[in-house]
Amino acid sequence: MDLGTLVGLGVGFGMVFLGILFGGAGVFLYFDPNSILIVIGGSLGAMLVASPMSRVLGLMSYVRHTLFVADWKEEKMITDLVAFSERARREGLLALEDNLDEVEDEFMRKGVQLVVDGTDPEVIKDILYTDLNQIQSRHETGIQFFAIWATIAPAFGMIGTLIGLIAMLVNIGGDTSIIGQGMSTALITTLYGSFFANLMLIPMQRKLEDRDKAETRAREITIEGILSIQSGDNPRILLEKLVSFLPPKQREAIRQESVRD
């Protein structure tokens, strides 16, 4: 569970709530079902027009990716690849077949299997990078989903503003309660559109971008390790290649672990 997402949403909603409360106008004045229908319902309808139905129905899977952090276990990934390299130099590439059942990550297992099968290095590289490109393409679909929605939601806030202004202008000189209701809808709908986009949609888009970077880095570590094993690189050189993908603190921890091994 990504506590940052939950805490951020809680802090965002909480600070806005306190701001309204201390403003003295009353919390319930800022609750307007009409505005919710216009912003949430209207923008969701626009997303149905802009995106395939399957993508919209998959909304919760995108939200789930923002709430849960995948642990790619990069340290273990690197130590495993270095261990495979050491065994391949001692016993040959075919000896790695005995380790395939121990490999939990499907992407890495596929790469090791290609090496064991004697596949040409360029073919291995093409296959693995094609897989990586497809992963990134799927990620980009979710990222763009929230990016488009973040653009549409404030626009529906403005549409709500126009609806409220029209209702107000039509009733000038008439029922003052309707004029007040129209003005309320005009202002609150703009507030909802901006709030929805800036506290939820745009941050979720950024979070998905971070998830994409994390998985891409893990896959690139795997690809570099697989190609180095296939080419017979010295395990120590391989270790230095792979730790270069990581922040300095993680690099030192892996080096120390390798020395102990």
Side-chain angles (χ1 to χ4, degrees):
M1 179 68 73
D2 184 357
L3 292 179
T5 300
L6 296 179
V7 171
L9 288 173
V11 170
F13 277 100
M15 292 300 102
V16 171
F17 177 81
L18 289 175
I20 292 172
L21 190 64
F22 294 150
V27 174
F28 290 104
L29 290 177
Y30 291 87
F31 178 72
D32 185 60
N34 296 333
S35 299
I36 294 174
L37 288 173
I38 292 170
V39 173
I40 306 297
S43 63
L44 182 59
M47 290 305 297
L48 285 166
V49 176
S51 308
M53 178 70 77
S54 59
R55 192 174 302 164
V56 178
L57 293 177
L59 169 63
M60 291 312 298
S61 68
Y62 298 141
V63 173
R64 188 164 56 251
H65 283 301
T66 68
L67 294 176
F68 294 94
V69 184
D71 183 5
W72 294 108
K73 301 178 180 176
E74 292 169 324
E75 293 88 347
K76 183 179 184 304
M77 184 182 298
I78 290 174
T79 54
D80 285 348
L81 288 167
V82 172
F84 290 160
S85 175
E86 291 172 344
R87 182 169 186 185
R89 283 172 65 89
R90 288 195 312 267
E91 306 173 31
L93 294 176
L94 290 177
L96 298 180
E97 191 166 19
D98 297 334
N99 298 103
L100 283 176
D101 292 337
E102 303 171 9
V103 180
E104 298 177 2
D105 184 69
E106 183 181 348
F107 189 84
M108 184 187 292
R109 184 165 59 248
K110 180 177 183 177
V112 175
Q113 183 66 68
L114 289 170
V115 170
V116 170
D117 291 342
T119 309
D120 184 80
E122 285 302 316
V123 175
I124 294 176
K125 186 175 181 179
D126 287 344
I127 291 173
L128 295 181
Y129 270 109
T130 298
D131 273 2
L132 176 57
N133 291 337
Q134 291 305 309
I135 290 170
Q136 292 175 318
S137 178
R138 290 193 295 272
H139 291 175
E140 186 64 23
T141 297
I143 292 167
Q144 287 303 310
F145 182 86
F146 283 108
I148 294 169
W149 201 353
T151 302
I152 290 174
F156 272 88
M158 292 304 299
I159 290 172
T161 298
L162 296 175
I163 292 171
L165 289 174
I166 291 169
M168 182 186 70
L169 292 173
V170 166
N171 286 281
I172 287 180
D175 189 343
T176 55
S177 66
I178 296 178
I179 295 175
Q181 185 177 355
M183 177 59 77
S184 174
T185 299
L187 297 177
I188 292 177
T189 310
T190 301
L191 172 65
Y192 281 8
S194 180
F195 185 76
F196 183 49
N198 288 283
L199 183 59
M200 298 185 71
L201 299 178
I202 294 175
M204 285 182 174
Q205 174 196 346
R206 296 289 185 263
K207 190 72 77 172
L208 289 178
E209 289 173 351
D210 285 342
R211 302 286 188 262
D212 173 61
K213 290 176 182 177
E215 183 168 0
T216 296
R217 186 174 73 175
R219 301 310 183 197
E220 287 179 340
I221 288 172
T222 301
I223 293 172
E224 185 65 37
I226 294 297
L227 294 176
S228 293
I229 291 170
Q230 204 279 338
S231 63
D233 286 349
N234 184 293
R236 290 188 178 277
I237 294 175
L238 173 58
L239 175 63
E240 292 303 320
K241 278 186 181 181
L242 300 186
V243 297
S244 66
F245 285 90
L246 303 180
K249 288 184 179 179
Q250 287 179 272
R251 297 180 191 180
E252 192 57 35
I254 294 175
R255 288 193 184 104
Q256 291 176 359
E257 183 69 26
S258 298
V259 170
R260 285 196 296 269
D261 293 342

Coordinates of all heavy atoms in Angstrom, one line a residue, residues 41 55 81 91 93 100 104 119 141 154 183 186 193-195 207-209 211 223-224 245 248 251:
G41 N -20.2 13.5 -13.4 CA -21.0 12.7 -14.4 C -20.7 13.2 -15.8 O -20.5 12.4 -16.7
R55 N -11.6 0.5 -21.5 CA -10.6 1.3 -20.8 C -11.3 2.0 -19.6 O -10.7 2.1 -18.5 CB -10.0 2.3 -21.7 CG -8.7 3.0 -21.2 CD -8.1 3.9 -22.2 NE -7.7 3.1 -23.4 CZ -7.4 3.6 -24.5 NH1 -7.4 4.9 -24.7 NH2 -7.0 2.8 -25.5
L81 N 21.3 -12.2 -10.9 CA 21.9 -12.2 -12.3 C 23.4 -12.4 -12.2 O 24.0 -13.1 -13.0 CB 21.6 -10.8 -12.9 CG 20.2 -10.7 -13.4 CD1 19.9 -9.2 -13.8 CD2 19.9 -11.6 -14.6
E91 N 30.3 -23.4 -15.4 CA 29.7 -24.6 -15.9 C 29.1 -24.5 -17.3 O 28.7 -25.5 -17.9 CB 28.6 -25.1 -15.0 CG 29.1 -25.2 -13.5 CD 28.0 -25.5 -12.6 OE1 27.0 -26.2 -13.0 OE2 28.1 -25.1 -11.4
L93 N 26.6 -22.1 -20.2 CA 25.2 -21.5 -20.2 C 24.1 -22.5 -20.0 O 23.1 -22.2 -19.4 CB 25.0 -20.8 -21.6 CG 25.9 -19.5 -21.8 CD1 25.6 -19.0 -23.2 CD2 25.6 -18.4 -20.8
L100 N 16.1 -22.3 -13.7 CA 14.9 -21.6 -14.2 C 13.7 -21.6 -13.3 O 13.0 -20.7 -13.2 CB 14.6 -22.2 -15.6 CG 15.5 -21.8 -16.8 CD1 15.0 -22.5 -18.0 CD2 15.3 -20.2 -17.0
E104 N 11.5 -16.2 -10.1 CA 10.1 -15.8 -9.9 C 9.6 -14.9 -10.9 O 8.5 -15.0 -11.4 CB 10.0 -15.2 -8.5 CG 10.3 -16.1 -7.3 CD 10.2 -15.4 -6.0 OE1 9.9 -14.2 -6.0 OE2 10.5 -16.0 -5.0
T119 N 20.0 -18.6 -28.2 CA 19.5 -17.6 -29.2 C 20.5 -16.5 -29.4 O 21.3 -16.2 -28.5 CB 18.2 -17.0 -28.5 OG1 17.3 -18.0 -28.1 CG2 17.5 -16.1 -29.6
T141 N -1.2 4.1 -21.7 CA -2.6 4.1 -21.8 C -3.3 4.6 -20.5 O -4.2 5.5 -20.6 CB -3.2 2.7 -22.1 OG1 -2.7 2.3 -23.4 CG2 -4.7 2.7 -22.2
P154 N -12.0 20.2 -15.5 CA -12.2 21.7 -15.3 C -13.1 22.3 -16.3 O -13.7 23.3 -16.1 CB -10.7 22.2 -15.3 CG -9.9 21.0 -15.0 CD -10.6 19.8 -15.6
M183 N -26.2 31.3 -9.0 CA -24.9 31.8 -8.8 C -24.0 30.8 -8.0 O -22.8 30.6 -8.2 CB -25.0 33.1 -8.0 CG -23.6 33.7 -7.5 SD -22.5 34.1 -9.0 CE -23.3 35.6 -9.5
A186 N -22.9 28.2 -10.3 CA -21.9 28.8 -11.2 C -20.5 28.7 -10.5 O -19.5 28.3 -11.2 CB -22.2 30.2 -11.6
G193 N -14.6 21.3 -10.3 CA -13.8 20.8 -11.5 C -12.3 21.0 -11.2 O -11.5 20.1 -11.5
S194 N -11.9 22.1 -10.7 CA -10.5 22.4 -10.4 C -10.0 21.4 -9.3 O -8.9 20.9 -9.3 CB -10.3 23.8 -10.0 OG -8.9 24.1 -9.7
F195 N -10.8 21.3 -8.2 CA -10.4 20.4 -7.1 C -10.2 19.0 -7.5 O -9.3 18.3 -7.2 CB -11.5 20.5 -6.0 CG -11.2 19.8 -4.8 CD1 -10.3 20.3 -3.8 CD2 -11.8 18.5 -4.5 CE1 -10.1 19.6 -2.7 CE2 -11.6 17.8 -3.3 CZ -10.7 18.4 -2.4
K207 N 1.6 9.7 -10.4 CA 1.9 8.5 -9.7 C 2.1 7.3 -10.7 O 3.0 6.5 -10.5 CB 0.8 8.1 -8.7 CG 1.1 7.0 -7.8 CD 2.2 7.4 -6.7 CE 1.5 8.3 -5.7 NZ 2.5 8.6 -4.5
L208 N 1.3 7.2 -11.7 CA 1.4 6.2 -12.7 C 2.7 6.3 -13.5 O 3.3 5.4 -13.9 CB 0.2 6.2 -13.6 CG -1.1 5.7 -13.0 CD1 -2.3 5.8 -14.1 CD2 -1.0 4.2 -12.5
E209 N 3.1 7.6 -13.7 CA 4.4 7.8 -14.4 C 5.5 7.3 -13.6 O 6.5 6.7 -14.1 CB 4.5 9.3 -14.7 CG 3.6 9.8 -15.8 CD 3.7 11.4 -15.9 OE1 4.3 12.0 -15.1 OE2 3.1 11.9 -16.9
R211 N 5.3 4.8 -11.4 CA 5.2 3.3 -11.5 C 5.9 2.8 -12.8 O 6.6 1.8 -12.8 CB 3.8 2.9 -11.4 CG 3.0 3.3 -10.2 CD 3.4 2.6 -8.9 NE 2.6 2.9 -7.8 CZ 2.9 3.7 -6.9 NH1 4.0 4.4 -6.9 NH2 2.0 3.9 -5.9
I223 N 17.4 -6.9 -18.7 CA 17.9 -7.0 -20.1 C 19.4 -6.9 -20.1 O 20.1 -7.7 -20.8 CB 17.3 -5.9 -21.0 CG1 15.8 -6.2 -21.1 CG2 17.9 -5.9 -22.3 CD1 15.0 -5.1 -21.8
E224 N 20.0 -5.9 -19.4 CA 21.4 -5.7 -19.4 C 22.1 -6.9 -18.8 O 23.2 -7.4 -19.3 CB 21.8 -4.4 -18.6 CG 23.3 -4.1 -18.6 CD 23.8 -3.7 -20.0 OE1 23.0 -3.1 -20.7 OE2 24.9 -4.1 -20.3
F245 N 22.5 1.4 -12.4 CA 21.1 1.8 -12.5 C 20.5 2.3 -11.2 O 19.4 3.0 -11.3 CB 20.3 0.6 -13.0 CG 20.4 0.2 -14.4 CD1 21.4 -0.7 -14.8 CD2 19.7 0.8 -15.4 CE1 21.6 -1.1 -16.1 CE2 19.8 0.4 -16.8 CZ 20.8 -0.5 -17.1
P248 N 23.0 5.8 -5.2 CA 24.3 5.4 -4.6 C 24.1 4.6 -3.3 O 24.9 3.7 -3.1 CB 24.9 6.8 -4.2 CG 24.3 7.7 -5.3 CD 22.9 7.2 -5.6
R251 N 23.6 1.0 -4.2 CA 24.8 0.4 -4.8 C 25.7 -0.2 -3.8 O 26.2 -1.3 -3.9 CB 25.5 1.5 -5.6 CG 24.7 2.1 -6.8 CD 25.6 3.1 -7.5 NE 24.8 3.8 -8.5 CZ 25.3 4.8 -9.3 NH1 26.6 5.1 -9.2 NH2 24.5 5.5 -10.1

